[in-house]
Amino acid sequence: MRELSGRVAVVTGAASGIGRALAVRFAAEGMALMLADVDPGGLAETAALARKASAGPGEVLTQVTDVSDAAAVQHLADRSFGELGAVHVLCNNAGVHQGGRLWTRTAEDFAWLLGVNVWGVLHGVRAFVPRMMAQDTEGHVVNTVSVAGLLAAPGAGGYALTKYAALAASQSLAQDLAAVGSKLRVTALCPGAVRTRIDDSARSRPAGLVTTPTDDEQAAREAVGAAMARGVEPAEIAALVVRAIHEERFLVLTHPEFADRLRRQTELLLAGELPGATSGARGPARSPRSRAAD
C-alpha cells in the first residue's frame, strides 16, 4: 500500500502509547479512523489529537471495546464497515503486561494475558480479515507483538508466551493469505522499550480477574517501568509501521541490537543451549559433542 490517504484504519489499544501514535500518524496520512480501547477517557483524547492532526476529511470514530470479548470485536467490525464503508489497515495493537515467575502466576493472570494478547489478535483476524479480503483491495494487518515474542526473558514468562503466540498467529496469517492469493499483507511489530504505560497495565484489568501482588511481579513491573522511561517515543514506532505497510515488510524490529540478539539465540538453540539472561550462568556454551560426553 503506497497510498494511505482516503483509506480506513482500525486501531485497538488506541487510548495511549503506540496505539495513540498510530492513530495520529494515520490521521496525518489522510486516513479515516475507527479507534478502540477499554479506556473511554484516553480514547476521547486520542480522537481529539487525531482530528487535529488529520490531513483530510476522514472521520475519526471511537468504540469502547474489550478485545478479549469476541462479540465486542465483532461489533467493532460491524461499525467500522457499516459507517466507514471499508477497512484497509487493521492494527491489532491492544496488549497488557504482567511480570513475575511462571510458577507464581495464577489462572486468572494467564486468562487476562491470553484474553487480550492472544484472543484479541484472533478475534480481530476473524472479525475483520474475511471482509477485508472480500473487498479485493490492497490491505494490511499489523499485529503488535513484542520483542518478548522473539526473545523470552526471566521474570516475564506469562507475557512472553502470549507474544510468542501472537507472532505465530501473524506468521501463519501471512502464509495463509499468500497461499490463497490475497492482496492483504501482514506485519508483526516487535517493539522493545517504548515510552508507554504498559508497566501500568493493571489499570485495565477486569475486576473479576482478581490477583494477589507478589514480590517478583512488583520487581518485574519496576524494571519494565524503568526501561519504558528510557525508551523511544511512540511516534517513532508509528513511522516504522507506515514504512512497513509501504514496503510490505513482515517483521519490524524497533531496535537494531535485536537482530544480533536473535542471531545469537538461534545459534544457542541449534547448539542445544539455553538462550537468554541465564544462558551463561553455568559457563560458556559448549558444543553438542562436549555435552554428550557428560
Side-chain angles (χ1 to χ4, degrees), residues 5 7 27 38 40 62 80 94 110 112 115 121 125 130 170 180 185 188 193 209 213 226 264 272 292:
S5 180
R7 305 293 182 93
V38 295
T62 62
S80 299
F110 290 119
W112 179 47
V121 171
V125 169
S170 303
V180 299
R185 299 294 182 264
L209 294 177
R264 178 57 178 159

Side-chain angles (χ1 to χ4, degrees), residues 13-214:
S16 63
I18 293 174
R20 174 171 289 182
L22 288 171
V24 171
R25 179 57 187 259
F26 287 150
E29 294 284 339
M31 301 186 78
L33 301 174
M34 173 64 83
L35 308 177
D37 203 289
V38 295
D39 175 7
L43 198 56
E45 291 175 3
T46 298
L49 291 170
R51 292 186 183 105
K52 184 177 180 180
S54 180
E59 291 186 77
V60 178
L61 306 179
T62 62
Q63 176 69 49
V64 175
T65 306
D66 177 356
V67 297
S68 70
D69 182 341
V73 178
Q74 188 62 54
H75 178 55
L76 178 67
D78 290 342
R79 275 200 67 203
S80 299
F81 286 96
E83 298 183 35
L84 297 175
V87 173
H88 303 98
V89 175
L90 168 66
C91 295
N92 291 311
N93 171 73
V96 293
H97 178 274
Q98 183 178 33
R101 300 185 183 95
L102 203 60
W103 62 83
T104 68
R105 300 305 92 215
T106 66
E108 289 79 11
D109 294 338
F110 290 119
W112 179 47
L113 290 167
L114 288 164
V116 178
N117 297 350
V118 179
W119 279 109
V121 171
L122 298 179
H123 293 327
V125 169
R126 294 176 64 246
F128 283 89
V129 167
R131 289 197 239 187
M132 292 173 71
M133 293 174 66
Q135 292 171 171
D136 196 31
T137 61
E138 288 183 325
H140 212 99
V141 178
V142 180
N143 293 331
T144 301
V145 184
S146 168
V147 69
L150 293 166
L151 303 165
Y159 180 69
L161 73 87
T162 65
K163 292 303 185 177
Y164 267 70
L167 179 65
S170 303
Q171 186 170 341
S172 294
L173 175 63
Q175 292 169 337
D176 286 344
L177 290 169
V180 299
S182 172
K183 296 177 182 178
L184 299 185
R185 299 294 182 264
V186 179
T187 289
L189 172 63
C190 293
V194 183
R195 292 181 184 173
T196 71
R197 298 175 61 196
I198 198 166
D199 59 309
D200 190 27
S201 294
R203 70 188 188 280
S204 63
R205 183 173 175 129
L209 294 177
V210 296
T211 186
T212 300
T214 57

